[in-house]
Amino acid sequence: MSYILTEFGADVLSDVTTFCEREVLKQAAEADRNRIWPEEMYEKACEMGLGALSVPEEYGGLGLTLPERAAILEKMAWFDAGFAVSYMTNILSSIPVFYFGEHANRKSCYDLLLEGRFGAFCLTEDQAGSDISRLRTRAIREGEEYVINGSKMFVTNGRIAGYYVVFAETDAGLTAFYVTADTPGIEAGEEENKLGIRNSDTCEVSFQDVRVPYTAILGKEGEGRKIAVFCLQHARIFCGVTALGVAQRALDESISRVREREQFGSLLADNEVIQFKLADMYMKTEAARQCCISALNKAGAGEDCRLAAATAKCLAGDAAEYCASEAVQIFGGYGYCEDYPVEKLLRDAKIFQIFEGTNEIQRLTVGRTLVK
Ligand SMILES: Cc1cc2nc3c(=O)[nH]c(=O)nc-3n(C[C@H](O)[C@H](O)[C@H](O)COP(=O)(O)OP(=O)(O)OC[C@H]3O[C@@H](n4cnc5c(N)ncnc54)[C@H](O)[C@@H]3O)c2cc1C
């Protein structure tokens, strides 16, 4: 089973692939190495209309299906995981607005994405990572407004966002708010010095006396936990397919390498030990892809996809890390050096076992569901 695409979806995938071949491949590697934000690459992506990828047709977007978005994200990640993560986060941050926001918030969010701005999802805090019951950001009601105070860690797209979805405690419990970046009191910190996905923007974002209208609430007051769980379970599937781009690239690079590299008088490709490595890489990637597709189908049919999404995200993240590590091994000493693409893949892969809920937490979710 592969991603089912309409003719239109296949055309968009082909355009995105051409764009990535031309603009992303070289710039991304250089920007990663020199730790330079690839502004030009994102400007061109914006001109090319990549902001419309996650926008529904009725709001001026491309109206792509879930499998089409997934296929495109996987392809983008094949070229550069950080680049794909920026757009993956647009999906994560637009889900709460789409499902729980008022029409005006939805329109504002999608207009910003169409302009080429990004969305950010602000949940994690310094004391609250896996355990969101420890969140300390607060929103106090004053008349028809809420005043938000607090600080969020590791916000993807934090400095380039046009809007933020912010989770804050209110008297009624955890609540999600839609906050545009031009609201006074928002400050994005310095870019984190990351191991990988350096072409995605990650920073702390603080909210000091940030005033938003009552209508900025997504869903109802006190529904924040339910909304976070709902959005993350859908977004985890996209996190999974993004990880698959890294896994597939690691496999493809390895196959090319062993077809050329000779040792002991024969090609590495003819060596069974190497073939077994490739076989394991392929099987883990393909198994994870099937789980992602199955989870996408469940999500698309409006079924409960919590178990399927946790399984897909965990398997795909593990496959990415496994394949990238094996690719470095297959390349030998060259794989350990920057001149070859696989060391970056290994650095990029690791994050997929950490963010959008660590893989330990995904295993807990799966295990708890099984014994319930
Ligand atoms: C590059 C990057 C981008 C990110 N982007 C975003 C973003 O856009 N928005 C956002 O809100 N957050 C974001 N995050 C935060 C990310 O989701 C968290 O880092 C992640 O959820 C883990 O939280 P933590 O780092 O506090 O680790 P902790 O929760 O402190 O966990 C540390 C370790 O303990 C394990 N652990 C914790 N609890 C348990 C348990 N009960 N059982 C077993 N093991 C457990 C974890 O699995 C992990 O291995 C990002 C992080 C990074 C690094």
Side-chain angles (χ1 to χ4, degrees), residues 66-124:
L66 299 186
E68 286 168 351
R69 292 179 193 185
I72 291 167
L73 266 187
E74 183 182 331
K75 185 58 78 180
M76 288 163 90
W78 191 98
F79 288 95
D80 182 55
F83 178 64
V85 162
S86 307
Y87 291 91
M88 178 189 99
T89 306
N90 281 355
I91 295 181
L92 165 64
S93 61
S94 61
I95 293 173
V97 189
F98 180 72
Y99 283 99
F100 304 100
E102 293 194 352
H103 171 75
N105 291 332
R106 268 187 256 158
K107 179 148 177 22
S108 155
C109 158
Y110 289 131
D111 282 351
L112 287 164
L113 292 178
L114 290 172
E115 278 169 26
R117 300 295 299 275
F118 289 82
F121 188 84
C122 305
L123 184 62
T124 304

Side-chain angles (χ1 to χ4, degrees), residues 89 92 121-126 128-131 153-156 194 197 202 351 354-361 364 368:
T89 306
L92 165 64
F121 188 84
C122 305
L123 184 62
T124 304
E125 296 178 9
D126 59 354
S130 304
D131 179 7
M153 285 298 292
F154 299 130
V155 179
T156 302
K194 303 195 294 281
I197 59 160
T202 317
I351 192 61
I354 297 175
F355 63 8
E356 297 211 8
T358 66
N359 279 8
E360 287 80 10
I361 297 298
L364 277 179
R368 280 182 188 147

